[in-house]
């Protein structure tokens, strides 16, 4: 163990007793520390200062440097030191969020870094979310829970600094519990205080967590933590090469009890901080051994844990490995990002999808989720891909600023542009784009089950056609609150109110009585269901009108009945 007083380092030998390593040293709250390890194996390098995988706070962010990957190069001046934190043992409150509500996905830094009404010292930090102006906006949207893109400490991918770029999303973590000092300078107490403020306003918090890989990357990557302490935590093929089902250079091997224990300990820690639940990035990796197993041990361990059993659990149900697409395969009680909803809604309003597919998605995707309750998370756009406004303005991605010759990001986005790529002053094109955006948003708010909106899509945010803005920690991805479309924003506030007046839409229970008909009461035929248009088609639940679609007029009217 390496104890730090400024740059002075005191090394204290540790002793192994059973499976545990212990140290005889006086260590108090606030003490900065790290580890060094030597031994036979590919990852051991006593010149590398290693961060505690169980660290809760760091004294500085991670930063990429070639020395981190060179054996024998000293790295104490590069690597963050963990800080000992005061213990707390809060009993988690029951989650505020319930399936069927509105999840609001946001990037903590990009959400407020340009907000003129947030105090300058707080802009871009987690504490900014507790500001009255932010809470007021969330309440107008009737947000049930904010879903925070990663706030745990991450490192830039090694190809970014030479290009003058940095990671803006945080999906390259190193230590699963340590908060990133750039986003959460107040550490654990800032997280707990912000969660408490949002809960007081009736808004839950869901953390987007990454347990599929770490930022130590491939064999040429940096040695920062696990690689230097327990290289076996990373999954390897029979030939010894690192498995790369996440496309990031490595994957954590959740078939190992020690890796699962670290994941569950992380979840318990954040639950004690008050969060409602978790969204798991590339969640299929956690159930691989090496193939995906719907009965993987981690599912039962979470379900049996008294602290975690009632938390909200959301899977991104795919990765890039063999058999990696597993939509609908997660256990009962888990919610799942539903990309089939996204794609079928986009196709319908683009003009090449069927009304039958649209109806199936709007009714909860019961062709995918065949339990009593639908587990779908319906979304139109997320952090990954085009913004909603760019979806109707760009037919092709424009990621040149990422420095990869526009090869990165999704090639097929099911997008359209009404004949003009990107910005335009043509009033007719702008009108048609506006109708498309409103039709898709109304579709989302009229859909049964949980819905998700990405921050800024309610007022027309654009990323200039960049559909992979992970490396754009700048005005490309930061929300511009002064330029927002106030009319569109008011439209979405109204949609939120209308959805709230139709509680059966937000009830994920399979509806007992749902009927589709045209305005004159005609029940569509099979041939009509397969068509690509819908004029005056209405959905009724329990004899109450839910909405009416008119694809010719590019509109979906969400109607509130008289009660």
């Amino acid at each position: 163990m390496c104890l730090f007083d400024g740059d002075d380092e005191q090394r204290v030998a540790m002793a192994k007793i059973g499976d545990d390593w212990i140290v005889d040293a006086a260590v108090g709250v606030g003490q900065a520390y790290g580890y060094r390890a030597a031994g036979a194996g590919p990852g051991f390098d006593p010149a590398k200062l290693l961060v505690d995988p169980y660290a809760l706070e760091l004294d500085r962010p991670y930063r990429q440097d070639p020395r981190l990957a060179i054996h024998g190069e000293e790295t104490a001046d590069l690597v963050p030191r963990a800080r000992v934190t005061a213990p707390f043992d809060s009993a988690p409150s029951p989650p505020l969020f319930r399936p069927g509500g509105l999840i609001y996905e946001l990037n903590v830094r990009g959400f407020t870094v340009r907000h003129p009404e947030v105090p300058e010292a707080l802009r871009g930090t987690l504490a900014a979310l507790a500001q009255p102006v932010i809470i007021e906006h969330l309440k107008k949207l009737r947000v049930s829970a904010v879903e925070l893109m990663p706030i745990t400490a991450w490192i830039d991918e090694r190809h970014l600094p030479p290009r003058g770029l940095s990671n803006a999303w945080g999906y390259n973590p190193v230590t699963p519990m340590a908060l990133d000092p750039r986003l959460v300078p107040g550490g654990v107490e800032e997280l707990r205080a912000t969660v408490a403020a949002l809960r007081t306003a009736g808004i839950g918090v869901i953390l987007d967590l990454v347990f599929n890989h770490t930022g130590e990357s491939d064999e040429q990557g940096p040695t920062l933590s696990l690689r230097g302490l327990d290289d076996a935590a990373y999954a390897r093929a029979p030939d010894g090469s690192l498995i790369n089902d996440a496309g990031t250079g490595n994957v954590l091997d959740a078939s190992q009890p020690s890796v699962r224990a670290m994941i569950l300990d992380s979840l318990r820690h954040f639950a004690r901080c008050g969060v409602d639940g978790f969204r798991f990035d590339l969640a299929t990796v956690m159930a691989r051994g090496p193939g995906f197993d719907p009965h993987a041990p981690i599912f039962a361990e979470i379900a049996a844990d008294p602290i975690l059993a009632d938390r909200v659990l959301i899977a991104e149900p795919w990765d890039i490995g063999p058999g990696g697409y597993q939509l609908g395969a997660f256990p009962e009680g888990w919610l799942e990002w539903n990309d089939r909803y996204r794609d079928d809604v986009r196709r319908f309003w683009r003009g090449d999808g069927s009304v039958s597919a649209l109806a199936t998605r709007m009714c909860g995707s019961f062709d995918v989720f065949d339990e009593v309750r639908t587990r779908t998370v319906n979304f139109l756009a997320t952090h990954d891909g085009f913004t909603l406004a760019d979806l109707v303005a760009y037919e092709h991605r424009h990621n040149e600023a990422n420095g990869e010759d526009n090869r990165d990001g999704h090639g097929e986005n099911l997008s359209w542009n009404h004949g003009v790529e990107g910005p335009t002053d043509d009033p007719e094109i702008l009108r048609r784009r506006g109708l498309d955006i409103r039709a898709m948003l109304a579709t989302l708010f009229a859909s049964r089950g949980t819905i998700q909106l990405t921050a800024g899509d309610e007022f027309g945010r654009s990323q200039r056609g960049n559909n992979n803005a992970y490396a754009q920690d700048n005005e490309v991805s930061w929300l511009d609150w002064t330029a927002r479309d106030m009319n569109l924003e008011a439209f979405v506030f109204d949609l939120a109110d209308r959805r709230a007046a139709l509680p059966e839409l937000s009830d994920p229970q399979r509806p007992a009585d749902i009927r589709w008909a045209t305005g004159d009461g005609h029940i569509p035929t099979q041939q009509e269901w397969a068509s690509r248009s819908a004029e005056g088609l209405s959905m009724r639940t329990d004899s109450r009108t839910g909405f009416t679609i008119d694809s010719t007029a590019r509109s979906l009217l969400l109607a509130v009945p008289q009660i």
Side-chain angles (χ1 to χ4, degrees):
M1 175 175 264
C2 306
L3 305 177
F4 288 89
D5 181 5
D7 290 331
D8 294 334
E9 178 183 347
Q10 177 191 3
R11 301 184 185 182
V12 184
M14 304 180 74
K16 189 174 185 182
I17 299 180
D19 291 332
D20 299 321
W21 288 89
I22 65 170
V23 63
D24 183 10
V27 177
V29 173
Q31 175 68 56
Y33 72 98
Y35 298 112
R36 294 180 187 270
F44 290 116
D45 181 357
K48 297 291 182 285
L49 184 67
L50 305 172
V51 182
D52 184 356
Y54 273 71
L56 302 184
E57 290 188 8
L58 304 178
D59 69 345
R60 68 196 74 178
Y62 289 97
R63 66 184 176 97
Q64 187 63 256
D65 189 284
R67 283 189 289 150
L68 295 169
I70 300 174
H71 190 85
E73 286 281 344
E74 175 60 48
T75 60
D77 60 322
L78 298 173
V79 176
R81 295 91 186 261
R83 283 199 188 105
V84 177
T85 59
F88 69 92
D89 191 21
S90 302
S93 301
L96 290 177
F97 178 82
R98 290 290 180 268
L102 168 62
I103 296 172
Y104 189 71
E105 183 197 39
L106 64 87
N107 178 304
V108 167
R109 175 166 163 79
F111 187 57
T112 62
V113 71
R114 300 178 71 190
H115 200 301
E117 296 179 61
V118 171
E120 188 171 355
L122 295 180
R123 293 176 192 169
T125 71
L126 184 65
L129 302 186
Q131 288 293 296
V133 66
I134 298 299
I135 289 178
E136 179 185 8
H137 183 78
L138 298 175
K139 292 183 74 170
K140 286 181 178 179
L141 286 170
R142 295 182 177 267
V143 169
S144 304
V146 292
E147 182 176 294
L148 309 182
M149 290 169 62
I151 60 173
T152 54
W154 73 86
I155 190 168
D156 288 335
E157 292 81 355
R158 63 178 178 267
H159 67 276
L160 293 182
R163 297 173 180 170
L165 300 173
S166 60
N167 190 311
W169 288 354
Y171 290 98
N172 202 37
V174 180
T175 35
M177 289 177 257
L179 300 168
D180 196 288
R182 294 166 291 190
L183 300 183
V184 198
V188 172
E189 288 308 311
E190 181 175 339
L191 172 60
R192 296 178 71 193
T194 303
V195 169
L198 289 166
R199 285 184 66 90
T200 298
I203 301 167
V205 175
I206 296 169
L207 297 186
D208 192 340
L209 298 177
V210 181
F211 294 120
N212 56 75
H213 79 285
T214 80
E216 290 183 304
S217 188
D218 55 23
E219 283 87 350
Q220 287 75 49
T223 297
L224 297 164
S225 183
L226 284 177
R227 172 163 286 155
L229 292 167
D230 184 12
D231 189 63
Y234 296 117
R236 292 185 177 273
D239 65 359
S241 62
L242 286 167
I243 293 174
N244 191 24
D245 291 336
T248 55
N250 67 59
V251 295
L252 285 169
D253 186 1
S255 68
Q256 296 191 38
S258 60
V259 172
R260 295 199 305 275
M262 182 175 68
I263 293 173
L264 266 68
D265 285 337
S266 301
L267 300 180
R268 293 187 196 101
H269 165 66
F270 288 124
R272 292 188 182 102
C273 290
V275 305
D276 289 44
F278 314 98
R279 181 263 186 187
F280 298 90
D281 182 64
L282 302 183
T284 46
V285 169
M286 297 193 304
R288 282 186 175 275
F292 176 82
D293 180 2
H295 306 291
I298 196 164
F299 297 139
E301 291 171 0
I302 291 174
D305 190 280
I307 293 177
L308 303 177
D310 66 348
R311 296 299 101 176
V312 180
L313 305 171
I314 305 173
E316 182 182 35
W318 50 74
D319 62 44
I320 67 167
Y325 186 78
Q326 294 292 334
L327 179 65
F330 279 72
E332 183 176 357
W334 282 65
L335 300 176
E336 299 183 35
W337 272 25
N338 187 352
D339 62 330
R340 290 184 62 181
Y341 177 94
R342 174 199 66 197
D343 293 351
D344 284 342
V345 172
R346 288 184 180 187
R347 285 191 180 98
F348 178 81
W349 290 111
R350 188 173 68 171
D352 58 342
S354 73
V355 68
S356 174
L358 180 74
T360 300
R361 300 295 153 243
M362 295 183 72
C363 289
S365 293
F366 290 110
D367 58 334
V368 176
F369 306 102
D370 58 1
E371 300 93 342
V372 173
R373 304 176 76 86
T374 180
R375 299 185 291 105
T376 183
V377 176
N378 301 316
F379 64 94
L380 300 167
T382 68
H383 66 273
D384 184 8
F386 277 145
T387 70
L388 188 59
D390 286 351
L391 183 68
V392 300
Y394 293 89
E395 191 171 352
H396 308 286
R397 65 191 175 197
H398 291 271
N399 299 352
E400 292 82 3
N402 294 352
E404 299 180 42
D405 296 323
N406 204 33
R407 296 189 305 268
D408 61 307
H410 298 296
E412 174 53 75
N413 298 275
L414 301 176
S415 59
W416 62 101
N417 62 19
H418 289 291
V420 175
E421 186 81 351
T424 180
D425 294 327
D426 188 308
E428 177 58 20
I429 291 177
L430 292 174
R431 184 188 72 83
R432 293 170 66 187
R433 289 178 179 177
L435 287 174
D436 290 349
I437 291 171
R438 284 164 170 77
M440 285 189 288
L441 285 166
T443 302
L444 180 68
F445 279 82
S447 296
R448 298 183 64 87
T450 303
I451 63 173
Q452 178 172 298
L453 183 69
T454 296
D457 279 350
E458 71 272 24
F459 52 71
R461 73 182 180 109
S462 172
Q463 291 180 166
R464 308 170 191 171
N466 192 318
N467 75 350
N468 189 34
Y470 81 102
Q472 301 298 320
D473 186 16
N474 50 46
E475 293 183 358
V476 172
S477 65
W478 298 344
L479 268 62
D480 186 352
W481 290 86
T482 61
R484 65 191 195 270
D485 184 336
M486 303 296 288
N487 289 329
L488 179 59
E489 182 180 85
F491 175 79
V492 179
F493 290 159
D494 182 63
L495 285 178
D497 290 341
R498 289 172 180 267
R499 180 179 174 86
L502 293 167
E504 61 266 40
L505 289 179
S506 58
D507 182 357
Q509 182 71 40
R510 184 192 296 270
D513 180 20
I514 183 166
R515 297 186 303 277
W516 293 82
T518 59
D520 59 3
H522 171 67
I523 306 299
T525 65
Q526 185 174 359
Q527 182 178 4
E528 289 169 332
W529 272 124
S531 71
R532 295 181 178 179
S533 66
E535 298 181 24
L537 184 66
S538 296
M539 183 273 279
R540 293 175 178 268
T541 62
D542 299 328
S543 301
R544 301 170 68 182
T545 300
F547 52 81
T548 302
I549 304 170
D550 189 336
S551 61
T552 303
R554 314 296 289 175
S555 71
L556 185 148
L557 176 64
L558 182 59
V560 179
Q562 298 297 318
I563 302 175

